[in-house]
Amino acid sequence: MPPSILQSKVIDVSSWKLDDQFGSYPEGAREKSAFFPPDYLEFDFINTQKRYLFKRSRRMYPDQFWAEIVAYQVGCLLGVEVPPAFASYNSDDNTCGALIEWFYIDNEVFYVQGGNYMQNAIPDFERKLGAKHNYHTISAISRVLNRAKILIVDWQVHWGQAFLFDALIGNSDRHQDNWGLLWFPDKSKGTFKINYSPLFDNGTALGHELFEHKISHWDDKRYSSYINNGYHHMKWNLDDLSRVGHMDMVKRVTQDNLVLKAHLANMLNNFSMDELHNTLSTLQGLELPIKFSEGRSNLMFKLISMRHNLLKSVLS
């Protein structure tokens, strides 16, 4: 897991080349464009071989794009793989967004969305809402790949870490097309190895929909109520299609796996709230038309801190 990249200057994408294939990226609820960076940039952390998504906020939540940027930093501190996300804007139209590095290079790796696998496993799976998106079916798919010896990661660890990360940021949108599998070809042997995609699309999290002026009176009891009402998109199994709470999902996947439970507890113990505070302070200093306000920073820190403590109790 590479260390996080914390930018000191905002990236302007107005001179970047619009992707011919995905100039207007069609998937998801928020408007986004795909760009390729120019060959020469002052930012040495930009990979000129990859496309980047310039992801804007929903109109009703103008600063939502900051959730993607902060979620990337949280993922790095936690030790999970999240695509790098940077504060950016387009000076041509003065729009702000998160500039997110895509996680594979075209024609070198092949990506298949999770929804494809769910449709193959569940004949009447409805793709738009994904009401039958569930962990037990994903487990069955993962076991098949594992028995075939083509899955290069421990699938239980991957999903345990994903649920831990989503619980820490309060992500309610890990739907069937917000995860997938990367196929790495070995052309000399005519075979493939498979890995899960990084944990991308994290903007529906971190209290993005809360307006600072409307929660200024909240006490810890009100914050706790908000956190306890956080649920995953993913269900537990096909026999019970009720939504699962963030903390409950972590509890369920570790209940019969003490090794995984210890691993997640160790990740949580190594997560530094002090480092997070310093990171959020640095992001506040970036100059954008829509800045990362002190109030938004304090809100995110409060939510993560409370969730961190709850997860500690779950994994104790």
Side-chain angles (χ1 to χ4, degrees), residues 272-292:
S272 172
M273 293 301 301
D274 288 338
E275 282 191 54
L276 175 64
H277 185 271
N278 293 338
T279 295
L280 296 178
S281 296
T282 298
L283 292 175
Q284 287 178 55
L286 295 175
E287 293 297 331
L288 272 174
I290 301 175
K291 293 192 65 173
F292 186 51

Side-chain angles (χ1 to χ4, degrees), residues 1-4 70-80 82 165 168 266-280 304:
M1 180 74 195
S4 69
V70 173
Y72 160 60
Q73 296 293 335
V74 171
C76 290
L77 289 173
L78 188 61
V80 299
V82 178
F165 171 65
L168 190 59
N266 187 57
M267 291 176 65
L268 204 61
N269 288 333
N270 290 332
F271 184 87
S272 172
M273 293 301 301
D274 288 338
E275 282 191 54
L276 175 64
H277 185 271
N278 293 338
T279 295
L280 296 178
I304 293 170

Side-chain angles (χ1 to χ4, degrees), residues 65-183:
F65 70 93
W66 283 108
E68 294 275 7
I69 296 161
V70 173
Y72 160 60
Q73 296 293 335
V74 171
C76 290
L77 289 173
L78 188 61
V80 299
E81 190 176 2
V82 178
F86 306 111
S88 62
Y89 77 114
N90 189 329
S91 60
D92 286 342
D93 57 12
N94 211 38
T95 56
C96 300
L99 188 66
I100 305 170
E101 181 181 296
W102 204 230
F103 46 84
Y104 62 87
I105 297 175
D106 293 345
N107 301 318
E108 291 187 10
V109 179
F110 303 96
Y111 175 65
V112 182
Q113 292 180 316
N116 292 35
Y117 297 98
M118 300 304 294
Q119 284 184 311
N120 287 335
I122 304 171
D124 61 344
F125 187 85
E126 190 277 313
R127 186 74 172 256
K128 185 175 181 180
L129 297 177
K132 294 187 176 181
H133 183 220
N134 73 96
Y135 179 65
H136 277 209
T137 298
I138 290 173
S139 300
I141 294 167
S142 300
R143 289 191 186 97
V144 170
L145 297 173
N146 193 54
R147 285 196 296 269
K149 300 187 185 303
I150 55 176
L151 190 60
I152 62 176
V153 293
D154 185 320
W155 64 270
Q156 290 176 295
V157 170
H158 169 81
W159 281 108
Q161 292 181 165
F163 294 139
L164 183 69
F165 171 65
D166 284 344
L168 190 59
I169 65 172
N171 182 18
S172 61
D173 202 33
R174 188 71 58 203
H175 60 69
Q176 65 278 351
D177 292 324
N178 274 352
W179 64 271
L181 291 173
L182 295 165
W183 291 66

Side-chain angles (χ1 to χ4, degrees), residues 200-221:
F200 66 92
D201 206 346
N202 304 303
T204 310
L206 293 164
H208 78 280
E209 81 286 8
L210 299 176
F211 296 102
E212 296 169 41
H213 66 280
K214 291 187 175 182
I215 62 168
S216 58
H217 64 286
W218 279 17
D219 56 15
D220 283 356
K221 184 177 179 181

Side-chain angles (χ1 to χ4, degrees), residues 28-31 55-65 96 173 203-204 208-209 211 290:
R30 287 179 287 145
E31 185 181 354
K55 196 168 184 180
R56 302 167 183 84
S57 304
R58 291 186 181 183
R59 289 186 181 181
M60 65 184 73
Y61 310 123
D63 60 352
Q64 183 182 6
F65 70 93
C96 300
D173 202 33
T204 310
H208 78 280
E209 81 286 8
F211 296 102
I290 301 175

Side-chain angles (χ1 to χ4, degrees), residues 154 156-157 252-263:
D154 185 320
Q156 290 176 295
V157 170
R252 291 189 191 195
V253 296
T254 58
Q255 191 166 15
D256 298 318
N257 190 333
L258 295 181
V259 173
L260 178 61
K261 186 175 184 178
H263 172 68

Side-chain angles (χ1 to χ4, degrees), residues 14-34:
S14 61
S15 64
W16 288 36
K17 180 181 180 294
L18 197 64
D19 182 0
D20 293 335
Q21 185 179 4
F22 296 114
S24 179
Y25 202 77
E27 295 179 11
R30 287 179 287 145
E31 185 181 354
K32 45 189 167 299
S33 303

Side-chain angles (χ1 to χ4, degrees), residues 12 15-16 36-44 46-49:
D12 183 357
S15 64
W16 288 36
F36 282 104
D39 291 335
Y40 300 99
L41 278 173
E42 60 180 305
F43 305 98
D44 59 5
I46 295 294
N47 187 335
T48 57
Q49 300 301 308

